[in-house]
Amino acid sequence: MKFQICFAVAICAVGGMVSATHAADFGEVRYDAQTVIRTHPRSIEDVRLLDAISGDRWSCGGSNPDGAVDYRVHVDDLQHLRGAGVEFEILIPDLEALVESERAEQNDPFRPRGFFDSFPDYATTSSYVNSLVSAYPQFVSRVSIGYSLENREIFGFRVTSPVAPLNGSPRKPVVMLNSLQHAREWITQTTDLYIATRLLELYSTDTTISGILDKYEVVFVPISNPDGYQITWTSDRYWRKNARVVSPPPMVVGVDLNRNWSVGWGLNNGSSGSYTSETYRGKSRFSEPESKALSDYMLAIPKLVAHIDIHSYASLLLRPWAYQYPTPPAIFAFNRIGPVVIAAIKSRTGYTYKYGGPEALYLASGVAPDWSYGTTDSISFTLEMRDSGYGFSPPASTIVPAGEDGLAAVIALVTSLCPADLNHDNVVDDSDFQLFVVAYDILLSNAGDFTGDGLTDDADFSQFVAAYDKLTCP
Ligand code: 0X9
Ligand code: ZN
């Protein structure tokens, strides 16, 4: 059997994950003589060697063949791996060449000029959000989530139809979609913006989508880490963390925002207390203004029902918990919805994602969806976008297909949120209860089978009651 790094808990995140050294001035970081390899570790020793040699693991699990892990490695170090008998193939032979060809593609004066034909920088996204507000004034409003350490605005926008919320509620239930906590994961932002754009464009012709925007509000935060994102445009294309100076000279920069959230924060399984680590968790829970602002915004939402934190590029849909193996109380709901989402992506784009818990990737403590699920009870996932074969620099032609994956995921997620609304009238009330009782009594129909075990029984009844009580449905 192949050794599975993704099962191998602490390994991925503790200790060895060291950032490329960053000069104080953040001068241009080049990736000359750097490669990205896909490795097949046979043992924990192999992983330790890879972590020590590389310090920058790019991805693992998901669509990778069993146990394969991608690392950025200096060409001179490949011989050590060969010497140690570590199996690998070269995925990206010359990383600096990839950075440059990506830049050339972005700057090509003859490239198509549509918004989804290239990757937008901070200013371009900000203008694009304004243009959505102008094009769909009844549907879109821009919001300010807060400010980054370097005082860049973390902006977002709310999308819903002018149809009023049910029962005189002041606000519809909210689905939150944020991207770019990890600065280098550019495909996550375009996916977020693509989902918003298509929901708006399709509202008038697609009844599933009008159903979604009539019942829910979707909040988009495309650039959750604006300072880190700026770094990826100006000095270091593969910067992951934020721009916090975490130690005095010799200066070390960066907190991994996706290790800074309060639920599970501080555990060594999947985050690090070491400044130089790519998974450095920060000095305390929510020490970083970016994660703090986003969490405060989400806490103030009266009814947050779902949240997707978008990452790349392991082709995975991950449920809580990320910080520990024991399953969360809502495991039935996650296990019902997760496979539906995966199947929806497959049928829309043909791309295969996998659904799972921490065993599908690795433990990670202090991540955003553990916080949103653990604190607000919303159905929260990490969505790791598709692997294009170019690591964090997918060609611009990936933007639309990946965006379609994301759109399929959101449609399937939102339409799966409210199984107890058996008569589809948008409320879980006595009429649904009556339908449930009929299903329960005759034990023939599986209309009330929320657990997916083929029976409408007591376990389903508990779930029905939970849905009824919590009013998680619009
Ligand atoms: O490590 C992370 O923060 C995410 N992966 S990434 O390669 N984009 O950095 C995954 C976070 C969620 N992890 C689990 N649910 N295990
Ligand atoms: Zn990420």
Side-chain angles (χ1 to χ4, degrees):
M1 194 191 101
K2 291 243 182 227
F3 176 73
Q4 300 267 316
I5 187 185
C6 300
F7 287 82
V9 200
I11 357 175
C12 272
V14 182
M17 300 283 292
V18 179
S19 323
T21 316
H22 270 273
D25 62 3
F26 258 105
E28 189 196 349
V29 174
R30 293 181 57 89
Y31 286 91
D32 298 303
Q34 298 275 330
T35 61
V36 177
I37 56 173
R38 180 154 292 175
T39 66
H40 307 276
R42 297 156 301 177
S43 64
I44 185 122
E45 284 70 37
D46 279 4
V47 174
R48 289 212 178 101
L49 180 67
L50 284 157
D51 276 342
I53 282 178
S54 158
D56 192 11
R57 180 176 36 74
W58 274 28
S59 197
C60 73
S63 60
N64 281 8
D66 268 0
V69 195
D70 299 351
Y71 281 91
R72 173 170 64 81
V73 173
H74 193 279
V75 280
D76 291 347
D77 288 325
L78 294 177
Q79 55 179 328
H80 299 305
L81 296 176
R82 286 195 191 98
V86 177
E87 283 172 43
F88 64 88
E89 64 260 4
I90 294 184
L91 214 58
I92 302 170
D94 179 345
L95 197 49
E96 181 59 26
L98 180 62
V99 172
E100 282 162 24
S101 73
E102 183 185 53
R103 201 176 295 142
E105 186 183 35
Q106 285 285 117
N107 296 333
D108 178 359
F110 300 112
R111 72 176 157 78
R113 310 306 294 186
F115 182 76
F116 293 108
D117 290 323
S118 61
F119 292 92
D121 63 10
Y122 179 90
T124 307
T125 299
S126 180
S127 318
Y128 184 70
V129 170
N130 294 342
S131 74
L132 288 179
V133 176
S134 310
Y136 301 94
Q138 310 270 20
F139 286 73
V140 186
S141 53
R142 183 175 168 125
V143 290
S144 188
I145 307 292
Y147 286 83
S148 70
L149 208 62
E150 295 179 340
N151 221 26
R152 290 187 179 87
E153 188 194 8
I154 303 167
F155 56 84
F157 56 105
R158 299 165 55 175
V159 175
T160 191
S161 78
V163 171
L166 289 163
N167 307 325
S169 304
R171 192 167 170 184
K172 295 175 190 173
V174 170
V175 175
M176 179 90 190
L177 303 178
N178 71 287
S179 47
L180 276 184
Q181 277 207 90
H182 290 148
R184 63 191 176 184
E185 297 167 11
W186 286 14
I187 196 71
T188 68
Q189 170 178 222
T190 53
T191 299
D192 207 31
L193 294 168
Y194 184 86
I195 295 165
T197 305
R198 294 303 284 157
L199 289 178
L200 290 161
E201 288 172 351
L202 294 171
Y203 178 84
S204 56
T205 52
D206 183 322
T207 52
T208 306
I209 286 173
S210 58
I212 289 173
L213 293 186
D214 288 349
K215 285 183 255 166
Y216 295 87
E217 174 186 318
V218 190
V219 177
F220 297 86
V221 181
I223 309 179
S224 310
N225 174 9
D227 299 347
Y229 193 49
Q230 189 62 20
I231 292 169
T232 66
W233 278 81
T234 54
S235 49
D236 181 351
R237 174 62 186 85
Y238 298 122
W239 187 247
R240 166 181 167 101
K241 301 186 282 183
N242 75 352
R244 166 81 71 188
V245 175
V246 294
S247 84
M251 190 161 94
V252 179
V253 178
V255 171
D256 182 349
L257 292 177
N258 206 32
R259 298 295 182 278
N260 190 239
W261 297 65
S262 64
V263 170
W265 185 88
L267 300 173
N268 277 335
N269 44 1
S271 83
S272 172
S274 158
Y275 294 153
T276 52
S277 167
E278 288 288 6
T279 55
Y280 175 52
R281 63 177 84 105
K283 69 175 176 359
S284 56
R285 299 171 167 76
F286 289 128
S287 56
E288 304 313 296
E290 297 87 1
S291 46
K292 177 80 171 86
L294 199 49
S295 65
D296 283 347
Y297 182 85
M298 286 160 82
L299 268 186
I301 294 172
K303 208 162 140 183
L304 181 69
V305 289
H307 170 213
I308 303 181
D309 179 29
I310 312 174
H311 288 258
S312 66
Y313 57 95
S315 315
L316 290 170
L317 182 72
L318 297 163
R319 60 153 176 86
W321 303 111
Y323 80 96
Q324 62 170 1
Y325 287 113
T327 53
I331 187 68
F332 282 122
F334 286 113
N335 286 349
R336 176 176 59 78
I337 295 171
V340 172
V341 170
I342 298 306
I345 300 175
K346 179 88 179 168
S347 88
R348 190 176 186 105
T349 70
Y351 201 87
T352 304
Y353 284 66
K354 284 185 195 155
Y355 161 72
E359 75 294 339
L361 190 64
Y362 44 74
L363 286 171
S365 63
V367 307
D370 278 5
W371 177 87
S372 46
Y373 167 66
T375 309
T376 73
D377 237 359
S378 56
I379 294 293
S380 304
F381 291 104
T382 301
L383 178 62
E384 287 267 352
M385 301 314 298
R386 59 166 70 192
D387 177 4
S388 66
Y390 294 88
F392 297 115
S393 292
S397 58
T398 312
I399 292 173
V400 170
E404 285 284 318
D405 293 346
L407 181 63
V410 168
I411 294 170
L413 167 62
V414 178
T415 53
S416 305
L417 280 176
C418 192
D421 179 19
L422 291 170
N423 64 358
H424 303 289
D425 65 352
N426 302 330
V427 275
V428 181
D429 59 10
D430 291 352
S431 55
D432 301 301
F433 184 66
Q434 262 139 41
L435 288 172
F436 181 84
V437 169
V438 172
Y440 186 93
D441 283 350
I442 58 177
L443 287 177
L444 276 177
S445 146
N446 68 353
D449 177 22
F450 307 129
T451 61
D453 63 356
L455 284 177
T456 298
D457 59 13
D458 288 353
D460 304 299
F461 182 67
S462 323
Q463 287 204 43
F464 182 88
V465 170
Y468 190 92
D469 286 348
K470 278 196 312 190
L471 292 172
T472 51
C473 304

